[in-house]
Short mmCIF file of all heavy atoms in Angstrom, two decimals:
data_model
loop_
_atom_site.label_atom_id
_atom_site.label_comp_id
_atom_site.label_asym_id
_atom_site.label_seq_id
_atom_site.Cartn_x
_atom_site.Cartn_y
_atom_site.Cartn_z
N VAL A 1 -84.56 -121.84 -170.42
CA VAL A 1 -84.64 -122.06 -171.84
C VAL A 1 -86.07 -122.47 -172.17
O VAL A 1 -86.66 -123.30 -171.48
CB VAL A 1 -83.67 -123.19 -172.29
CG1 VAL A 1 -83.82 -123.47 -173.76
CG2 VAL A 1 -82.25 -122.86 -171.93
N ALA A 2 -86.62 -121.89 -173.22
CA ALA A 2 -87.95 -122.27 -173.69
C ALA A 2 -87.82 -123.05 -174.99
O ALA A 2 -87.25 -122.55 -175.96
CB ALA A 2 -88.82 -121.04 -173.90
N PHE A 3 -88.32 -124.27 -175.01
CA PHE A 3 -88.35 -125.09 -176.20
C PHE A 3 -89.77 -125.02 -176.77
O PHE A 3 -90.73 -125.29 -176.06
CB PHE A 3 -88.03 -126.55 -175.87
CG PHE A 3 -86.62 -126.78 -175.40
CD1 PHE A 3 -86.32 -126.72 -174.05
CD2 PHE A 3 -85.61 -127.08 -176.30
CE1 PHE A 3 -85.02 -126.93 -173.60
CE2 PHE A 3 -84.31 -127.30 -175.86
CZ PHE A 3 -84.01 -127.23 -174.50
N LEU A 4 -89.90 -124.65 -178.03
CA LEU A 4 -91.18 -124.68 -178.73
C LEU A 4 -91.17 -125.94 -179.58
O LEU A 4 -90.42 -126.04 -180.53
CB LEU A 4 -91.36 -123.43 -179.58
CG LEU A 4 -91.28 -122.10 -178.82
CD1 LEU A 4 -91.39 -120.93 -179.77
CD2 LEU A 4 -92.36 -122.04 -177.75
N VAL A 5 -92.01 -126.90 -179.22
CA VAL A 5 -91.92 -128.25 -179.77
C VAL A 5 -93.14 -128.55 -180.63
O VAL A 5 -94.28 -128.46 -180.16
CB VAL A 5 -91.80 -129.29 -178.63
CG1 VAL A 5 -91.64 -130.68 -179.20
CG2 VAL A 5 -90.62 -128.94 -177.72
N THR A 6 -92.90 -128.91 -181.88
CA THR A 6 -93.96 -129.29 -182.80
C THR A 6 -93.43 -130.35 -183.76
O THR A 6 -92.26 -130.75 -183.68
CB THR A 6 -94.49 -128.07 -183.58
OG1 THR A 6 -95.68 -128.44 -184.29
CG2 THR A 6 -93.46 -127.52 -184.54
N SER A 7 -94.27 -130.82 -184.65
CA SER A 7 -93.88 -131.83 -185.64
C SER A 7 -94.53 -131.50 -186.97
O SER A 7 -95.61 -130.90 -187.01
CB SER A 7 -94.33 -133.21 -185.15
OG SER A 7 -94.18 -134.16 -186.18
N LEU A 8 -93.90 -131.91 -188.04
CA LEU A 8 -94.48 -131.72 -189.37
C LEU A 8 -95.18 -132.97 -189.89
O LEU A 8 -95.91 -132.89 -190.88
CB LEU A 8 -93.38 -131.32 -190.37
CG LEU A 8 -92.70 -129.98 -190.09
CD1 LEU A 8 -91.57 -129.76 -191.10
CD2 LEU A 8 -93.69 -128.84 -190.14
N ASP A 9 -94.95 -134.13 -189.23
CA ASP A 9 -95.47 -135.36 -189.81
C ASP A 9 -96.37 -136.15 -188.85
O ASP A 9 -97.57 -136.22 -189.04
CB ASP A 9 -94.34 -136.25 -190.33
CG ASP A 9 -93.23 -136.49 -189.31
OD1 ASP A 9 -93.37 -136.07 -188.15
OD2 ASP A 9 -92.22 -137.12 -189.67
N VAL A 10 -95.82 -136.75 -187.83
CA VAL A 10 -96.57 -137.60 -186.89
C VAL A 10 -96.20 -137.20 -185.45
O VAL A 10 -95.37 -136.34 -185.23
CB VAL A 10 -96.24 -139.11 -187.09
CG1 VAL A 10 -96.65 -139.57 -188.48
CG2 VAL A 10 -94.76 -139.38 -186.86
N ASN A 11 -96.83 -137.84 -184.46
CA ASN A 11 -96.48 -137.58 -183.07
C ASN A 11 -95.09 -138.12 -182.75
O ASN A 11 -94.72 -139.21 -183.18
CB ASN A 11 -97.49 -138.23 -182.13
CG ASN A 11 -98.81 -137.51 -182.09
OD1 ASN A 11 -98.99 -136.48 -182.74
ND2 ASN A 11 -99.73 -138.02 -181.34
N HIS A 12 -94.36 -137.34 -181.96
CA HIS A 12 -93.04 -137.73 -181.48
C HIS A 12 -92.99 -137.42 -179.98
O HIS A 12 -93.67 -136.53 -179.51
CB HIS A 12 -91.92 -136.94 -182.16
CG HIS A 12 -91.86 -137.11 -183.64
ND1 HIS A 12 -91.19 -138.16 -184.23
CD2 HIS A 12 -92.39 -136.37 -184.65
CE1 HIS A 12 -91.31 -138.05 -185.55
NE2 HIS A 12 -92.02 -136.98 -185.82
N GLY A 13 -92.16 -138.14 -179.26
CA GLY A 13 -91.89 -137.80 -177.87
C GLY A 13 -90.57 -137.05 -177.82
O GLY A 13 -89.57 -137.48 -178.38
N PHE A 14 -90.56 -135.89 -177.17
CA PHE A 14 -89.37 -135.03 -177.08
C PHE A 14 -88.83 -135.16 -175.67
O PHE A 14 -89.35 -134.57 -174.73
CB PHE A 14 -89.79 -133.59 -177.39
CG PHE A 14 -88.68 -132.58 -177.39
CD1 PHE A 14 -87.89 -132.41 -178.51
CD2 PHE A 14 -88.45 -131.79 -176.27
CE1 PHE A 14 -86.87 -131.45 -178.52
CE2 PHE A 14 -87.44 -130.84 -176.28
CZ PHE A 14 -86.65 -130.67 -177.39
N GLY A 15 -87.80 -136.00 -175.50
CA GLY A 15 -87.22 -136.24 -174.19
C GLY A 15 -85.83 -135.64 -174.08
O GLY A 15 -85.01 -135.81 -174.98
N ILE A 16 -85.56 -134.95 -172.97
CA ILE A 16 -84.25 -134.35 -172.74
C ILE A 16 -83.57 -135.11 -171.61
O ILE A 16 -84.14 -135.26 -170.53
CB ILE A 16 -84.36 -132.85 -172.40
CG1 ILE A 16 -85.03 -132.11 -173.56
CG2 ILE A 16 -82.98 -132.27 -172.10
CD1 ILE A 16 -85.27 -130.64 -173.29
N TYR A 17 -82.35 -135.57 -171.87
CA TYR A 17 -81.56 -136.35 -170.92
C TYR A 17 -80.28 -135.62 -170.55
O TYR A 17 -79.69 -134.95 -171.39
CB TYR A 17 -81.15 -137.70 -171.53
CG TYR A 17 -82.27 -138.68 -171.67
CD1 TYR A 17 -83.17 -138.59 -172.73
CD2 TYR A 17 -82.42 -139.72 -170.76
CE1 TYR A 17 -84.21 -139.51 -172.87
CE2 TYR A 17 -83.46 -140.64 -170.90
CZ TYR A 17 -84.34 -140.53 -171.95
OH TYR A 17 -85.36 -141.43 -172.08
N LYS A 18 -79.86 -135.77 -169.30
CA LYS A 18 -78.54 -135.30 -168.86
C LYS A 18 -77.93 -136.42 -168.04
O LYS A 18 -78.56 -136.95 -167.12
CB LYS A 18 -78.65 -134.04 -168.01
CG LYS A 18 -77.28 -133.50 -167.57
CD LYS A 18 -77.40 -132.11 -167.02
CE LYS A 18 -76.15 -131.45 -166.58
NZ LYS A 18 -74.88 -131.94 -166.91
N ASP A 19 -76.74 -136.82 -168.39
CA ASP A 19 -76.03 -137.91 -167.71
C ASP A 19 -76.86 -139.19 -167.66
O ASP A 19 -76.90 -139.89 -166.65
CB ASP A 19 -75.63 -137.48 -166.29
CG ASP A 19 -74.71 -136.27 -166.28
OD1 ASP A 19 -73.88 -136.16 -167.22
OD2 ASP A 19 -74.81 -135.45 -165.35
N GLY A 20 -77.57 -139.47 -168.75
CA GLY A 20 -78.35 -140.70 -168.85
C GLY A 20 -79.68 -140.70 -168.12
O GLY A 20 -80.38 -141.71 -168.11
N LYS A 21 -80.07 -139.56 -167.54
CA LYS A 21 -81.33 -139.47 -166.80
C LYS A 21 -82.29 -138.54 -167.52
O LYS A 21 -81.91 -137.43 -167.91
CB LYS A 21 -81.08 -138.96 -165.39
CG LYS A 21 -80.24 -139.90 -164.56
CD LYS A 21 -80.00 -139.34 -163.18
CE LYS A 21 -79.08 -140.27 -162.40
NZ LYS A 21 -78.72 -139.71 -161.10
N LEU A 22 -83.54 -138.98 -167.65
CA LEU A 22 -84.57 -138.14 -168.27
C LEU A 22 -84.90 -136.99 -167.32
O LEU A 22 -85.26 -137.22 -166.16
CB LEU A 22 -85.82 -138.97 -168.54
CG LEU A 22 -87.00 -138.25 -169.17
CD1 LEU A 22 -86.66 -137.79 -170.59
CD2 LEU A 22 -88.23 -139.15 -169.19
N ILE A 23 -84.75 -135.75 -167.81
CA ILE A 23 -85.04 -134.61 -166.94
C ILE A 23 -86.32 -133.88 -167.33
O ILE A 23 -86.89 -133.16 -166.52
CB ILE A 23 -83.86 -133.62 -166.89
CG1 ILE A 23 -83.56 -133.04 -168.26
CG2 ILE A 23 -82.62 -134.27 -166.29
CD1 ILE A 23 -82.68 -131.81 -168.22
N ALA A 24 -86.78 -134.06 -168.57
CA ALA A 24 -88.02 -133.42 -169.01
C ALA A 24 -88.48 -134.07 -170.30
O ALA A 24 -87.69 -134.63 -171.05
CB ALA A 24 -87.80 -131.93 -169.22
N GLN A 25 -89.79 -133.97 -170.55
CA GLN A 25 -90.33 -134.49 -171.81
C GLN A 25 -91.63 -133.80 -172.13
O GLN A 25 -92.32 -133.29 -171.26
CB GLN A 25 -90.50 -136.00 -171.74
CG GLN A 25 -91.60 -136.50 -170.84
CD GLN A 25 -92.94 -136.62 -171.55
OE1 GLN A 25 -92.99 -136.83 -172.77
NE2 GLN A 25 -94.03 -136.49 -170.81
N THR A 26 -91.95 -133.77 -173.42
CA THR A 26 -93.24 -133.30 -173.91
C THR A 26 -93.52 -134.00 -175.23
O THR A 26 -92.68 -134.72 -175.75
CB THR A 26 -93.27 -131.76 -174.05
OG1 THR A 26 -94.62 -131.34 -174.28
CG2 THR A 26 -92.39 -131.28 -175.19
N GLN A 27 -94.70 -133.80 -175.77
CA GLN A 27 -95.07 -134.38 -177.05
C GLN A 27 -94.86 -133.38 -178.17
O GLN A 27 -95.11 -132.19 -178.01
CB GLN A 27 -96.54 -134.80 -177.04
CG GLN A 27 -96.83 -136.02 -176.20
CD GLN A 27 -96.19 -137.26 -176.76
OE1 GLN A 27 -95.34 -137.84 -176.11
NE2 GLN A 27 -96.56 -137.67 -177.93
N ALA A 28 -94.40 -133.86 -179.31
CA ALA A 28 -94.33 -133.07 -180.53
C ALA A 28 -95.44 -133.57 -181.44
O ALA A 28 -95.46 -134.75 -181.80
CB ALA A 28 -92.97 -133.25 -181.20
N MET A 29 -96.39 -132.68 -181.75
CA MET A 29 -97.58 -133.09 -182.51
C MET A 29 -97.80 -132.15 -183.69
O MET A 29 -97.61 -130.94 -183.56
CB MET A 29 -98.81 -133.04 -181.60
CG MET A 29 -98.70 -133.95 -180.39
SD MET A 29 -100.11 -133.81 -179.27
CE MET A 29 -99.83 -132.20 -178.56
N PRO A 30 -98.22 -132.70 -184.82
CA PRO A 30 -98.49 -131.86 -185.99
C PRO A 30 -99.60 -130.85 -185.68
O PRO A 30 -100.60 -131.18 -185.03
CB PRO A 30 -98.97 -132.84 -187.06
CG PRO A 30 -98.49 -134.18 -186.61
CD PRO A 30 -98.44 -134.12 -185.12
N GLY A 31 -99.39 -129.60 -186.08
CA GLY A 31 -100.41 -128.57 -185.94
C GLY A 31 -100.56 -128.00 -184.54
O GLY A 31 -101.50 -127.25 -184.27
N TYR A 32 -99.67 -128.34 -183.62
CA TYR A 32 -99.76 -127.86 -182.25
C TYR A 32 -98.35 -127.57 -181.73
O TYR A 32 -97.42 -128.30 -182.05
CB TYR A 32 -100.44 -128.91 -181.36
CG TYR A 32 -100.75 -128.42 -179.97
CD1 TYR A 32 -101.87 -127.64 -179.73
CD2 TYR A 32 -99.91 -128.73 -178.91
CE1 TYR A 32 -102.16 -127.18 -178.46
CE2 TYR A 32 -100.19 -128.27 -177.63
CZ TYR A 32 -101.32 -127.50 -177.42
OH TYR A 32 -101.59 -127.04 -176.16
N ILE A 33 -98.21 -126.52 -180.94
CA ILE A 33 -96.91 -126.19 -180.36
C ILE A 33 -96.98 -126.35 -178.85
O ILE A 33 -97.82 -125.73 -178.19
CB ILE A 33 -96.49 -124.74 -180.71
CG1 ILE A 33 -96.35 -124.59 -182.22
CG2 ILE A 33 -95.18 -124.39 -180.01
CD1 ILE A 33 -96.10 -123.17 -182.67
N ASN A 34 -96.13 -127.20 -178.30
CA ASN A 34 -95.97 -127.33 -176.85
C ASN A 34 -94.77 -126.52 -176.43
O ASN A 34 -93.73 -126.56 -177.08
CB ASN A 34 -95.76 -128.79 -176.44
CG ASN A 34 -97.05 -129.54 -176.31
OD1 ASN A 34 -98.03 -129.01 -175.81
ND2 ASN A 34 -97.07 -130.78 -176.76
N MET A 35 -94.91 -125.78 -175.33
CA MET A 35 -93.78 -125.03 -174.79
C MET A 35 -93.27 -125.75 -173.55
O MET A 35 -94.03 -126.05 -172.64
CB MET A 35 -94.18 -123.60 -174.42
CG MET A 35 -92.99 -122.79 -173.92
SD MET A 35 -93.40 -121.09 -173.41
CE MET A 35 -93.95 -120.41 -174.95
N LEU A 36 -91.98 -126.03 -173.54
CA LEU A 36 -91.31 -126.68 -172.42
C LEU A 36 -90.28 -125.70 -171.89
O LEU A 36 -89.33 -125.34 -172.60
CB LEU A 36 -90.65 -127.98 -172.88
CG LEU A 36 -89.88 -128.79 -171.86
CD1 LEU A 36 -90.81 -129.26 -170.74
CD2 LEU A 36 -89.21 -129.98 -172.52
N ILE A 37 -90.46 -125.22 -170.66
CA ILE A 37 -89.57 -124.23 -170.07
C ILE A 37 -88.75 -124.90 -168.99
O ILE A 37 -89.29 -125.51 -168.07
CB ILE A 37 -90.36 -123.04 -169.50
CG1 ILE A 37 -91.16 -122.36 -170.62
CG2 ILE A 37 -89.42 -122.05 -168.83
CD1 ILE A 37 -92.08 -121.27 -170.15
N LEU A 38 -87.42 -124.78 -169.11
CA LEU A 38 -86.51 -125.42 -168.16
C LEU A 38 -85.41 -124.46 -167.72
O LEU A 38 -84.97 -123.62 -168.50
CB LEU A 38 -85.81 -126.62 -168.82
CG LEU A 38 -86.66 -127.76 -169.31
CD1 LEU A 38 -85.80 -128.74 -170.09
CD2 LEU A 38 -87.32 -128.45 -168.15
N THR A 39 -84.96 -124.63 -166.51
CA THR A 39 -83.74 -124.00 -166.04
C THR A 39 -82.67 -125.09 -166.07
O THR A 39 -82.81 -126.10 -165.38
CB THR A 39 -83.91 -123.45 -164.61
OG1 THR A 39 -84.96 -122.49 -164.61
CG2 THR A 39 -82.61 -122.81 -164.13
N LEU A 40 -81.66 -124.89 -166.89
CA LEU A 40 -80.67 -125.93 -167.11
C LEU A 40 -79.33 -125.57 -166.48
O LEU A 40 -78.92 -124.41 -166.50
CB LEU A 40 -80.45 -126.14 -168.61
CG LEU A 40 -81.67 -126.57 -169.42
CD1 LEU A 40 -81.34 -126.56 -170.90
CD2 LEU A 40 -82.14 -127.93 -168.97
N GLU A 41 -78.68 -126.58 -165.95
CA GLU A 41 -77.30 -126.42 -165.50
C GLU A 41 -76.39 -126.47 -166.72
O GLU A 41 -76.74 -127.03 -167.76
CB GLU A 41 -76.92 -127.57 -164.56
CG GLU A 41 -77.73 -127.62 -163.30
CD GLU A 41 -77.38 -128.84 -162.44
OE1 GLU A 41 -76.53 -129.65 -162.86
OE2 GLU A 41 -77.97 -128.96 -161.37
N GLN A 42 -75.21 -125.90 -166.58
CA GLN A 42 -74.24 -125.95 -167.66
C GLN A 42 -73.89 -127.40 -167.94
O GLN A 42 -73.75 -128.21 -167.02
CB GLN A 42 -72.99 -125.17 -167.28
CG GLN A 42 -71.99 -125.05 -168.40
CD GLN A 42 -70.90 -124.04 -168.09
OE1 GLN A 42 -71.14 -123.05 -167.41
NE2 GLN A 42 -69.70 -124.31 -168.57
N GLY A 43 -73.77 -127.75 -169.21
CA GLY A 43 -73.38 -129.11 -169.57
C GLY A 43 -73.99 -129.57 -170.87
O GLY A 43 -74.68 -128.83 -171.56
N LYS A 44 -73.75 -130.84 -171.18
CA LYS A 44 -74.23 -131.43 -172.43
C LYS A 44 -75.52 -132.20 -172.16
O LYS A 44 -75.66 -132.89 -171.15
CB LYS A 44 -73.17 -132.36 -173.02
CG LYS A 44 -71.94 -131.62 -173.47
CD LYS A 44 -70.93 -132.52 -174.12
CE LYS A 44 -69.72 -131.69 -174.54
NZ LYS A 44 -68.74 -132.48 -175.25
N TYR A 45 -76.45 -132.11 -173.11
CA TYR A 45 -77.76 -132.74 -173.01
C TYR A 45 -78.03 -133.53 -174.30
O TYR A 45 -77.50 -133.20 -175.35
CB TYR A 45 -78.85 -131.68 -172.82
CG TYR A 45 -78.76 -130.97 -171.49
CD1 TYR A 45 -77.86 -129.92 -171.31
CD2 TYR A 45 -79.54 -131.35 -170.41
CE1 TYR A 45 -77.77 -129.26 -170.09
CE2 TYR A 45 -79.46 -130.70 -169.19
CZ TYR A 45 -78.57 -129.66 -169.04
OH TYR A 45 -78.47 -129.02 -167.83
N THR A 46 -78.87 -134.53 -174.18
CA THR A 46 -79.27 -135.34 -175.32
C THR A 46 -80.78 -135.25 -175.48
O THR A 46 -81.51 -135.31 -174.49
CB THR A 46 -78.85 -136.81 -175.11
OG1 THR A 46 -77.44 -136.86 -174.89
CG2 THR A 46 -79.20 -137.67 -176.32
N ILE A 47 -81.22 -135.13 -176.72
CA ILE A 47 -82.65 -135.15 -177.03
C ILE A 47 -82.94 -136.46 -177.76
O ILE A 47 -82.24 -136.81 -178.72
CB ILE A 47 -83.06 -133.96 -177.91
CG1 ILE A 47 -82.76 -132.65 -177.20
CG2 ILE A 47 -84.53 -134.05 -178.29
CD1 ILE A 47 -82.93 -131.43 -178.07
N VAL A 48 -83.96 -137.18 -177.30
CA VAL A 48 -84.32 -138.47 -177.89
C VAL A 48 -85.82 -138.50 -178.14
O VAL A 48 -86.60 -138.00 -177.32
CB VAL A 48 -83.93 -139.63 -176.92
CG1 VAL A 48 -84.35 -140.97 -177.49
CG2 VAL A 48 -82.45 -139.61 -176.65
N CYS A 49 -86.23 -139.08 -179.25
CA CYS A 49 -87.65 -139.30 -179.51
C CYS A 49 -88.12 -140.47 -178.64
O CYS A 49 -87.55 -141.55 -178.69
CB CYS A 49 -87.89 -139.61 -180.98
SG CYS A 49 -89.65 -139.82 -181.37
N LEU A 50 -89.16 -140.23 -177.84
CA LEU A 50 -89.65 -141.23 -176.90
C LEU A 50 -90.88 -141.99 -177.40
O LEU A 50 -91.40 -142.84 -176.69
CB LEU A 50 -90.01 -140.56 -175.56
CG LEU A 50 -88.85 -139.84 -174.85
CD1 LEU A 50 -89.35 -139.14 -173.61
CD2 LEU A 50 -87.76 -140.83 -174.51
N GLU A 51 -91.35 -141.66 -178.57
CA GLU A 51 -92.55 -142.31 -179.10
C GLU A 51 -92.21 -142.95 -180.44
O GLU A 51 -91.71 -142.26 -181.34
CB GLU A 51 -93.66 -141.28 -179.27
CG GLU A 51 -94.92 -141.84 -179.86
CD GLU A 51 -96.14 -141.47 -179.06
OE1 GLU A 51 -96.03 -140.76 -178.06
OE2 GLU A 51 -97.21 -141.92 -179.47
N TYR A 52 -92.51 -144.24 -180.58
CA TYR A 52 -92.21 -144.88 -181.86
C TYR A 52 -92.97 -144.16 -182.96
O TYR A 52 -94.19 -144.03 -182.92
CB TYR A 52 -92.58 -146.37 -181.84
CG TYR A 52 -92.24 -147.02 -183.16
CD1 TYR A 52 -90.92 -147.26 -183.50
CD2 TYR A 52 -93.22 -147.34 -184.07
CE1 TYR A 52 -90.58 -147.82 -184.72
CE2 TYR A 52 -92.91 -147.91 -185.29
CZ TYR A 52 -91.58 -148.14 -185.62
OH TYR A 52 -91.26 -148.68 -186.82
N CYS A 53 -92.23 -143.67 -183.96
CA CYS A 53 -92.82 -142.79 -184.97
C CYS A 53 -92.61 -143.28 -186.40
O CYS A 53 -93.04 -142.64 -187.34
CB CYS A 53 -92.24 -141.39 -184.81
SG CYS A 53 -90.43 -141.35 -184.85
N GLY A 54 -91.92 -144.40 -186.57
CA GLY A 54 -91.71 -144.91 -187.91
C GLY A 54 -90.36 -145.57 -188.08
O GLY A 54 -89.62 -145.79 -187.11
N THR A 55 -90.02 -145.85 -189.31
CA THR A 55 -88.83 -146.61 -189.65
C THR A 55 -87.53 -146.02 -189.11
O THR A 55 -86.65 -146.75 -188.68
CB THR A 55 -88.72 -146.73 -191.19
OG1 THR A 55 -89.94 -147.28 -191.69
CG2 THR A 55 -87.57 -147.63 -191.59
N TYR A 56 -87.40 -144.71 -189.10
CA TYR A 56 -86.14 -144.09 -188.70
C TYR A 56 -86.16 -143.56 -187.26
O TYR A 56 -85.34 -142.75 -186.87
CB TYR A 56 -85.78 -142.96 -189.68
CG TYR A 56 -85.48 -143.50 -191.05
CD1 TYR A 56 -86.43 -143.44 -192.07
CD2 TYR A 56 -84.26 -144.12 -191.32
CE1 TYR A 56 -86.16 -143.97 -193.32
CE2 TYR A 56 -83.99 -144.64 -192.57
CZ TYR A 56 -84.94 -144.56 -193.56
OH TYR A 56 -84.68 -145.09 -194.80
N HIS A 57 -87.10 -144.06 -186.47
CA HIS A 57 -87.24 -143.62 -185.08
C HIS A 57 -85.92 -143.70 -184.31
O HIS A 57 -85.56 -142.76 -183.59
CB HIS A 57 -88.32 -144.46 -184.38
CG HIS A 57 -88.35 -144.32 -182.91
ND1 HIS A 57 -88.85 -143.20 -182.30
CD2 HIS A 57 -87.94 -145.15 -181.93
CE1 HIS A 57 -88.74 -143.35 -180.98
NE2 HIS A 57 -88.20 -144.51 -180.74
N HIS A 58 -85.19 -144.78 -184.47
CA HIS A 58 -83.96 -144.97 -183.69
C HIS A 58 -82.83 -144.00 -184.08
O HIS A 58 -81.83 -143.92 -183.39
CB HIS A 58 -83.48 -146.42 -183.80
CG HIS A 58 -83.18 -146.88 -185.20
ND1 HIS A 58 -84.17 -147.14 -186.11
CD2 HIS A 58 -82.02 -147.09 -185.82
CE1 HIS A 58 -83.62 -147.50 -187.25
NE2 HIS A 58 -82.31 -147.48 -187.11
N TYR A 59 -83.00 -143.24 -185.18
CA TYR A 59 -82.02 -142.24 -185.57
C TYR A 59 -82.34 -140.85 -185.00
O TYR A 59 -81.57 -139.91 -185.17
CB TYR A 59 -81.93 -142.12 -187.09
CG TYR A 59 -81.32 -143.32 -187.77
CD1 TYR A 59 -82.06 -144.08 -188.65
CD2 TYR A 59 -80.00 -143.67 -187.52
CE1 TYR A 59 -81.51 -145.18 -189.28
CE2 TYR A 59 -79.43 -144.78 -188.15
CZ TYR A 59 -80.20 -145.52 -189.03
OH TYR A 59 -79.64 -146.61 -189.65
N MET A 60 -83.46 -140.71 -184.33
CA MET A 60 -83.92 -139.39 -183.86
C MET A 60 -83.26 -139.06 -182.52
O MET A 60 -83.88 -139.12 -181.47
CB MET A 60 -85.43 -139.36 -183.79
CG MET A 60 -86.07 -139.54 -185.14
SD MET A 60 -87.82 -139.21 -185.12
CE MET A 60 -87.79 -137.44 -184.95
N ILE A 61 -81.99 -138.70 -182.59
CA ILE A 61 -81.20 -138.34 -181.41
C ILE A 61 -80.45 -137.06 -181.74
O ILE A 61 -79.90 -136.91 -182.83
CB ILE A 61 -80.19 -139.46 -181.06
CG1 ILE A 61 -80.92 -140.75 -180.72
CG2 ILE A 61 -79.29 -139.04 -179.91
CD1 ILE A 61 -80.01 -141.95 -180.55
N GLY A 62 -80.44 -136.14 -180.80
CA GLY A 62 -79.70 -134.89 -180.98
C GLY A 62 -79.01 -134.50 -179.69
O GLY A 62 -79.28 -135.08 -178.63
N THR A 63 -78.13 -133.54 -179.77
CA THR A 63 -77.44 -133.06 -178.58
C THR A 63 -77.39 -131.54 -178.60
O THR A 63 -77.50 -130.92 -179.66
CB THR A 63 -76.00 -133.60 -178.48
OG1 THR A 63 -75.26 -133.16 -179.60
CG2 THR A 63 -75.97 -135.10 -178.38
N PHE A 64 -77.23 -130.96 -177.42
CA PHE A 64 -76.97 -129.53 -177.30
C PHE A 64 -76.18 -129.29 -176.03
O PHE A 64 -76.11 -130.16 -175.17
CB PHE A 64 -78.26 -128.68 -177.35
CG PHE A 64 -79.15 -128.85 -176.15
CD1 PHE A 64 -79.02 -128.00 -175.05
CD2 PHE A 64 -80.14 -129.81 -176.13
CE1 PHE A 64 -79.85 -128.15 -173.95
CE2 PHE A 64 -80.98 -129.96 -175.04
CZ PHE A 64 -80.83 -129.11 -173.96
N GLU A 65 -75.59 -128.12 -175.92
CA GLU A 65 -74.81 -127.78 -174.74
C GLU A 65 -75.34 -126.48 -174.14
O GLU A 65 -75.52 -125.48 -174.85
CB GLU A 65 -73.34 -127.64 -175.08
CG GLU A 65 -72.45 -127.43 -173.89
CD GLU A 65 -70.97 -127.53 -174.21
OE1 GLU A 65 -70.63 -127.85 -175.35
OE2 GLU A 65 -70.17 -127.29 -173.30
N ALA A 66 -75.61 -126.48 -172.84
CA ALA A 66 -76.00 -125.27 -172.12
C ALA A 66 -74.74 -124.62 -171.57
O ALA A 66 -73.92 -125.27 -170.94
CB ALA A 66 -76.95 -125.64 -170.99
N ILE A 67 -74.59 -123.34 -171.86
CA ILE A 67 -73.41 -122.60 -171.43
C ILE A 67 -73.86 -121.44 -170.54
O ILE A 67 -74.80 -120.71 -170.90
CB ILE A 67 -72.64 -122.06 -172.66
CG1 ILE A 67 -72.20 -123.22 -173.54
CG2 ILE A 67 -71.45 -121.23 -172.23
CD1 ILE A 67 -71.61 -122.81 -174.88
N ALA A 68 -73.21 -121.29 -169.43
CA ALA A 68 -73.58 -120.22 -168.47
C ALA A 68 -73.14 -118.86 -168.99
O ALA A 68 -72.24 -118.70 -169.73
CB ALA A 68 -72.94 -120.48 -167.12
#
């Protein structure tokens, strides 16, 4: 899976977790695209912002599921 990671406002940390363990991370920065390429096992993953980015930082959590 290729993640193209950028931001519209400020720097963010893009961390991907599986079973509570950080498996990959990159920076999300305005005006720049970072590519993060991973081979993922089937299952559920969580994305968390790893860089304090403002008032709503603690709400920056997402999930996705990799399906074989």
Side-chain angles (χ1 to χ4, degrees):
V1 177
F3 294 90
L4 302 176
V5 182
T6 190
S7 170
L8 296 176
D9 51 6
V10 297
N11 286 358
H12 300 275
F14 182 83
I16 300 176
Y17 288 79
K18 182 167 181 13
D19 300 326
K21 296 179 184 175
L22 180 66
I23 62 164
Q25 70 90 27
T26 191
Q27 287 294 116
M29 300 176 289
Y32 188 80
I33 298 173
N34 277 320
M35 183 182 297
L36 179 62
I37 300 174
L38 299 172
T39 300
L40 300 173
E41 297 176 358
Q42 186 168 327
K44 294 183 180 183
Y45 293 81
T46 303
I47 300 171
V48 178
C49 182
L50 300 176
E51 177 130 1
Y52 181 72
C53 55
T55 306
Y56 294 101
H57 167 75
H58 60 287
Y59 291 117
M60 297 190 72
I61 298 172
T63 61
F64 68 92
E65 186 170 355
I67 300 171

